[in-house]
């Protein structure tokens, strides 16, 4: 037996407590010891939430639902996600992130049970659309509720690394592990059984948050007035701190091309450029894998080279160039698998360079980080609508003009990003700094 050397740490209440080397190492990488199991729980929840992504639409059409009905189902889901994404941060201001996460997980489990048993298995479309839309509250409550928790527990100096780890675990669950899980289980078990399996992942994630991730001290019952104040704060923060609203706009721009490409780029690359479906699918999948890696890389890069620089140049400029590349490069080289694969990898990396925005925006309102994250979440939700709206212009305008519209948005985003420069938003050694001051306790209410 040996004992890890203990080093002192100062908690937010100013009390010095021992800290092991392991805890110290985790903290230096942006992972608070308090939230360690929370990152694992986030990944498991996202696996459960992402299991259906690759086959639900096809499965429902095979059961006799029309393409319009399936599109209506996903549209209702997207509307609720956009609203709930804002609510997740706003309510965390009053209720505490742990409570918001548990409410989200419970809603997800109950509504998924109703969706499968009363909707899908009975082929009852009104029940399906109602339960699926309400279930959409669960995803942002759990995922974005944890993002609020990360911003509250993490020292400002390593915030970039912390949000990098957040998006890494998020994307690993949603886009990687869930995809491989479906690939292994969907044929031997069938689509319905695979959908049922998602409940296991979400239930385990909820249990981990309830048992392994501890709330802060000072828990008490939340009053109605505090709840209303938290919701009002999620709106008022944009008036009090206009740069928070600008950050929300940059977050909208971040993924607008991704949601737009999801609508039309597959058709363009297969029908017009000449890739086979399997070739383009592998390019798309590799792009997502690169994005997962970038979520982590960008956090570390931002704390070294400056958060604003990484967002503006690594994110905005690189994404603008690669978006245009998806139209012009195939015209020059045709269906060249290696070249377009390389382009897809760079595009995936560029999208991930926006991750430090999740560190910058909360630091623009350090006394109301949850409200600031609510605005950030709203931008992410609105991106789900902005992307398909821009993609709808392909019909009247064509692919070329649409990619220029997308590229122009990213160029505008570069200028907006530099407006976020402010004392305190960068890691030490980058940008304007202030003299260190004693930590100020942030009031967080948990159950």
């Amino acid at each position: 037996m040996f004992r890890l050397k203990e080093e002192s740490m100062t908690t937010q209440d100013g009390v010095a407590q021992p800290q092991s080397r392991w805890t110290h190492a985790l903290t230096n990488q942006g992972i608070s010891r308090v939230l360690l199991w929370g990152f694992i729980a986030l990944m498991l929840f996202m696996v459960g939430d992402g299991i259906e992504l690759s086959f639900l639409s096809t499965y429902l059409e095979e059961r006799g639902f029309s393409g319009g009905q399936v599109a209506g189902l996903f549209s209702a889901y997207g509307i609720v996600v956009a609203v709930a994404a804002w609510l997740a941060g706003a309510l965390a201001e009053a209720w505490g992130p742990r409570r918001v996460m548990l409410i989200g997980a419970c809603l997800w489990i109950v509504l998924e049970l109703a969706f499968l048993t009363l909707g899908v298995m009975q082929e009852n479309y009104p029940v399906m659309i109602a339960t699926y839309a309400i279930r959409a509250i669960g995803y942002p409550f759990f995922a974005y509720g944890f993002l609020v928790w990360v911003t509250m527990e993490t020292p400002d100096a390593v915030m970039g690394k912390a949000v990098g780890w957040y998006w890494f675990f998020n994307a690993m669950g949603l886009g990687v592990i869930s995809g491989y899980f479906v690939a292994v289980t969907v044929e031997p078990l069938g689509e319905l059984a695979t959908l049922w399996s998602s409940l296991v992942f979400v239930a385990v994630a909820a249990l981990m948050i309830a048992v392994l991730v501890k709330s802060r001290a000072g828990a008490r019952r939340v009053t109605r007035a505090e709840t209303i104040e938290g919701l009002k704060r999620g709106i008022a923060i944009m008036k009090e701190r206009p740069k928070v609203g600008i950050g929300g706009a940059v977050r909208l721009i971040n993924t607008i091309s991704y949601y737009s490409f999801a609508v039309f780029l597959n058709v363009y690359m297969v029908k017009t450029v000449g890739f086979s479906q399997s070739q383009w699918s592998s390019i798309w999948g590799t792009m997502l894998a690169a994005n997962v890696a970038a979520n982590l890389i960008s956090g570390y890069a931002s704390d070294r080279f400056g958060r604003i620089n990484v967002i503006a140049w690594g994110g905005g400029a690189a994404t603008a160039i690669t978006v245009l590349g998806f139209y012009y490069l195939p015209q020059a080289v045709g269906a060249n698998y290696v070249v377009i694969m390389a382009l897809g990898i760079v595009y995936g990396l560029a999208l991930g360079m926006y991750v430090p925005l999740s560190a910058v925006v909360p630091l623009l309102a350090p006394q109301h980080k949850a409200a600031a994250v609510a605005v950030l979440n709203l931008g992410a939700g609105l991106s789900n609508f902005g992307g398909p709206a821009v993609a709808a212009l392909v019909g009247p305008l064509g692919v070329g003009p649409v990619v220029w519209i997308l590229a122009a948005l990213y160029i505008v985003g570069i200028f907006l990003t530099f407006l976020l420069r402010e004392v305190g938003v960068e890691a030490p050694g980058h940008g304007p700094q202030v003299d260190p001051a004693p930590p100020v306790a942030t009031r967080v209410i948990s159950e």
Side-chain angles (χ1 to χ4, degrees):
M1 297 280 299
F2 65 91
R3 191 175 183 180
L4 289 175
K5 179 181 177 182
E6 293 185 341
E7 301 175 12
S8 64
M9 65 174 289
T10 302
T11 60
Q12 287 191 330
D13 58 7
V15 178
Q17 294 184 351
Q19 183 183 34
S20 70
R21 284 182 174 175
W22 169 245
T23 300
H24 183 69
L26 283 177
T27 303
N28 283 343
Q29 301 310 311
I31 300 178
S32 167
R33 180 186 59 80
V34 175
L35 299 182
L36 177 59
W37 286 108
F39 284 97
I40 306 300
L42 171 70
M43 183 175 67
L44 291 176
F45 181 92
M46 298 311 295
V47 172
D49 192 67
I51 280 174
E52 66 190 32
L53 293 180
S54 63
F55 69 90
L56 181 60
S57 59
T58 304
Y59 173 63
L60 294 178
E61 289 187 15
E62 289 175 350
R63 292 185 69 96
F65 296 98
S66 68
Q69 287 177 311
V70 174
L73 186 73
F74 289 123
S75 296
Y77 179 90
I79 292 170
V80 176
V81 165
V83 176
W86 168 76
L87 280 173
L91 289 176
E93 179 83 9
W95 294 357
R98 181 171 182 267
R99 181 173 295 172
V100 170
M101 292 176 72
L102 290 176
I103 290 173
C106 291
L107 278 174
W108 199 101
I109 291 170
V110 171
L111 272 299
E112 178 72 356
L113 285 168
F115 174 69
L116 294 177
T117 57
L118 303 178
V120 175
M121 295 176 68
Q122 302 299 322
E123 298 185 353
N124 187 324
Y125 184 71
V127 171
M128 286 171 56
I129 199 168
T131 54
Y132 196 66
I134 300 173
R135 197 207 79 180
I137 297 173
Y139 151 58
F141 267 42
F142 193 95
Y144 294 148
F146 187 64
L147 178 58
V148 170
W149 210 345
V150 169
T151 63
M152 289 176 170
E153 288 285 351
T154 304
D156 294 351
V158 292
M159 187 73 77
K161 296 175 184 177
V163 297
W165 280 111
Y166 168 86
W167 287 110
F168 174 81
F169 281 102
N170 186 306
M172 276 294 292
L174 185 66
V176 179
I177 298 176
S178 63
Y180 284 116
F181 179 81
V182 170
V184 171
T185 60
V186 72
E187 289 190 6
L189 299 182
E191 290 92 341
L192 187 59
T194 302
L195 288 172
W196 277 107
S197 69
S198 63
L199 288 161
V200 177
F201 289 98
V202 174
V204 171
L207 186 63
M208 292 176 68
I209 293 297
V211 176
L212 298 179
V213 186
K214 304 299 181 182
S215 300
R216 292 189 182 194
R220 61 181 177 85
R221 185 178 295 276
V222 182
T223 67
R224 181 180 300 178
E226 288 169 337
T227 300
I228 295 173
E229 177 62 25
L231 293 173
K232 289 166 59 178
R233 176 64 59 185
I235 299 174
I237 193 68
M238 288 185 282
K239 181 179 180 180
E240 297 173 6
R241 301 288 294 159
K243 289 187 178 183
V244 170
I246 294 174
V250 176
R251 179 63 184 88
L252 188 158
I253 292 170
N254 172 196
T255 48
I256 197 167
S257 65
Y258 173 78
Y259 291 114
S260 186
F261 282 171
V263 175
F264 75 86
L265 195 59
N266 177 79
V267 175
Y268 175 71
M269 288 294 181
V270 173
K271 302 293 186 181
T272 303
V273 176
F275 285 107
S276 68
Q277 184 60 63
S278 62
Q279 285 179 318
W280 176 247
S281 294
S282 66
I283 292 172
W284 187 261
T286 305
M287 178 267 288
L288 292 176
N291 181 250
V292 170
N295 290 333
L296 187 56
I297 294 169
S298 62
Y300 283 80
S302 70
D303 286 342
R304 181 175 179 83
F305 301 109
R307 294 163 186 167
I308 298 298
N309 287 333
V310 169
I311 298 167
W313 303 119
T319 308
I321 294 170
T322 50
V323 161
L324 292 172
F326 278 114
Y327 178 70
Y328 288 102
L329 204 53
Q331 292 190 22
V333 301
N336 188 310
Y337 181 76
V338 174
V339 172
I340 304 304
M341 173 69 82
L343 176 66
I345 291 172
V346 176
Y347 172 74
L349 292 171
L351 285 181
M353 293 299 127
Y354 279 92
V355 160
L357 190 65
S358 297
V360 169
V361 172
L363 295 177
L364 292 170
Q367 300 304 317
H368 297 286
K369 290 181 177 179
V373 173
V375 175
L376 198 66
N377 295 345
L378 179 62
L382 291 176
S383 190
N384 283 271
F385 297 103
V390 174
L393 299 175
V394 169
L397 299 180
V399 173
V402 167
V403 297
W404 271 105
I405 291 172
L406 292 171
L409 288 172
Y410 284 104
I411 293 171
V412 171
I414 295 173
F415 291 99
L416 293 178
T417 299
F418 282 114
L419 293 179
L420 301 179
R421 282 198 187 279
E422 187 173 296
V423 171
V425 303
E426 292 283 12
H430 298 281
Q433 303 291 317
V434 292
D435 293 332
V440 178
T442 302
R443 182 180 64 85
V444 181
I445 301 169
S446 307
E447 72 284 299

